[in-house]
Amino acid sequence: MEHFGPVERMWLRNEGRLFGVVFVLFNVLLAIFNVLNYRVASRATVPCVVITRLDASTAKLSWTDSTDTTGDYSNNLTTPHTRVVKLRNSTQEETIPPLNYSLPWETEQRDKYTVVKRYIPADGLPPTYDDSVTLCTQGTFEFLQHVPELCDRWEGPLSVSVYAPGTDLPVAVRKILFLRKCGPPCVRLNVSWHLIYESSLAPPHLEAPMEMAEMAAYEPLNCSAGFKPLQLLSEIRSSKKLPYPINVARNVARQLAGTRYVLASDIELYPSLHIVPRFLELVSRLAEKEIGKIIPRRVFTLPIFEIKKEFPAPKTKEELVKRVKEGHAIFFHKWVCDACQNFPRRDQWLKSLPEKGKEDLLGIFQITKRQMPRTAWEPIYIGTNEEPLYDERLTWEGKRDKMSQMFELCLLDYDFYVLDNAFLVHSPGIKTLSSVDQRRRAPFMYKNNAVHNKLLAQMKKKYGARKGC
């Protein structure tokens, strides 16, 4: 055994005292740090993202609010807030830096439907109220692939309502995210997306849309592979025989536009090029001429066409007229409901080509009314949100979903300004009547007809009869 002398023993005693002082001081500082840290954490919960890899069969996405311990998410849907995002698709657990999601959406109840406004807003800076025209459209997830073509042609914002009940919802969101990543830049910059679904088929709580970096950690989005790997399948609408609430979707997209002028159109109708700048210039010219005058109620209508599936949709009037002369393009619904797009002097419209050097000008081909003998005319037009809304009881399957609104415009004595150098063309493929489709839609047509007849009677009582309507 080693023995220490008096000097060594004194040194060891002093060293022990010093160690004890340091140890006590360290614990005091640690206690102070813990108290301060607890107080800071109690004021604000900092979200984190946890990635957990599980078996592929159980892989899923879940969104939870770190401040909510009750499981009640009803209040979280109507106010901006931040949520924790959890991704489960790995075999080991890893914590990565916090990712905050400020969710600007709001929800609204419209009869039996829940509307989620601006679920995924456009990333670009929105135009001022009078400086653009918003293209307002709608569809189910099967038709969202038309949006890139729309925004590529449209030099302005788009407001898109997506009907996505039940299992359609995650499928629709997955497709939207794919389009935002893989489509032209305008999809991310200019398109705002809104959701609609039956309240009875709502998710337990609405999940935050994931941005691309986080989405890739869960399910890589391969742009070159297209939509097939995304497994965009859902049969809830067919299994439950859910009709498409087209007028709910139309109104939502229109009312959420941020510009004075709006074009409420269908998702498969592609606009000709440069409508927005040409239309704004036209409105400016009209305003100069109309100083001091009473401006009538009016909308600006666009002729509609369809083209054979083996040809691309025309982008200019010159190209359109060429295809019509060749027999490859026709007026919209010619073989389904020719009267629905038979506006006055429509054959003359095809002969009225822009003068050389004035191809960029947009003018008025004619001013007309929607009256006898054209009470079946269903024009699509650029207007404002001052125009009457579409009746939301009418469904797409039941047909005549725009007729009552057209009748109301007639009773209000609207003028229809037919544009001379702008048009819409359906995505390639000529429509024809289908007996199978007619039988499937028969019950819905019966309901729409009943609603339509009631609406007309109510409008006549409200506005009074008008000759020709």
Side-chain angles (χ1 to χ4, degrees), residues 40 44 66 79 157 205 225 316 320 326 330 362 364 426 442 453 459:
V40 171
S66 59
T79 56
H205 63 279
T316 66
L320 171 69
E326 294 169 345
I330 58 176
L362 184 60
I364 307 301
H426 195 277
N453 292 335
M459 289 176 186

Side-chain angles (χ1 to χ4, degrees), residues 80 116 167 171 228 292 309 449:
V116 186
T167 54
V171 174
K228 190 173 182 180
K309 63 181 179 180
N449 286 339

Side-chain angles (χ1 to χ4, degrees), residues 296-308:
R297 289 172 172 160
R298 65 188 177 195
V299 291
F300 301 85
T301 71
L302 295 87
I304 313 173
F305 295 82
E306 51 190 335
I307 190 167
K308 292 179 179 178

Side-chain angles (χ1 to χ4, degrees), residues 317-440:
K317 186 171 183 179
E318 183 180 11
E319 183 184 353
L320 171 69
V321 170
K322 178 176 180 291
R323 294 301 186 193
V324 172
K325 288 180 178 178
E326 294 169 345
H328 302 313
I330 58 176
F331 281 101
F332 188 50
H333 279 173
K334 185 172 180 62
W335 308 124
V336 176
C337 178
D338 189 44
C340 296
Q341 295 303 323
N342 189 7
F343 62 90
R345 300 174 60 227
R346 70 177 188 180
D347 291 331
Q348 186 62 34
W349 184 91
L350 288 168
K351 300 175 183 178
S352 175
L353 289 171
E355 297 178 21
K356 191 172 182 179
K358 295 184 178 180
E359 292 86 357
D360 285 336
L361 285 179
L362 184 60
I364 307 301
F365 171 69
Q366 68 175 341
I367 300 174
T368 186
K369 300 282 188 182
R370 186 190 175 275
Q371 295 177 343
M372 292 291 293
R374 289 182 170 83
T375 53
W377 183 26
E378 290 187 314
I380 288 180
Y381 57 81
I382 297 175
T384 70
N385 268 311
E386 294 179 7
E387 275 69 72
L389 294 174
Y390 298 94
D391 191 276
E392 298 185 0
R393 292 170 292 178
L394 300 171
T395 64
W396 175 81
E397 287 80 1
K399 299 187 176 183
R400 305 178 78 181
D401 45 77
K402 296 195 294 288
M403 284 290 192
S404 58
Q405 200 243 22
M406 293 296 108
F407 181 71
E408 191 168 4
L409 294 183
C410 183
L411 292 178
L412 290 169
D413 200 29
Y414 265 75
D415 285 339
F416 289 78
Y417 287 45
V418 181
L419 299 175
D420 64 357
N421 192 21
F423 60 88
L424 300 169
V425 58
H426 195 277
S427 61
I430 303 291
K431 287 194 170 187
T432 57
L433 282 174
S434 166
S435 58
V436 174
D437 185 59
Q438 290 292 99
R439 286 195 297 271
R440 180 182 67 84

Side-chain angles (χ1 to χ4, degrees), residues 253-300:
R254 201 184 92 175
Q255 290 179 300
L256 293 178
T259 56
R260 178 188 302 277
Y261 289 104
V262 294
L263 170 60
S265 184
D266 292 340
I267 201 166
E268 292 183 276
L269 296 180
Y270 301 163
S272 55
L273 297 181
H274 310 310
I275 288 179
V276 173
R278 292 174 181 177
F279 176 79
L280 294 175
E281 197 272 335
L282 168 64
V283 169
S284 178
R285 293 200 316 267
L286 289 174
E288 291 179 4
K289 293 179 180 179
E290 295 169 342
I291 294 176
K293 297 181 180 179
I294 297 175
I295 300 174
R297 289 172 172 160
R298 65 188 177 195
V299 291
F300 301 85

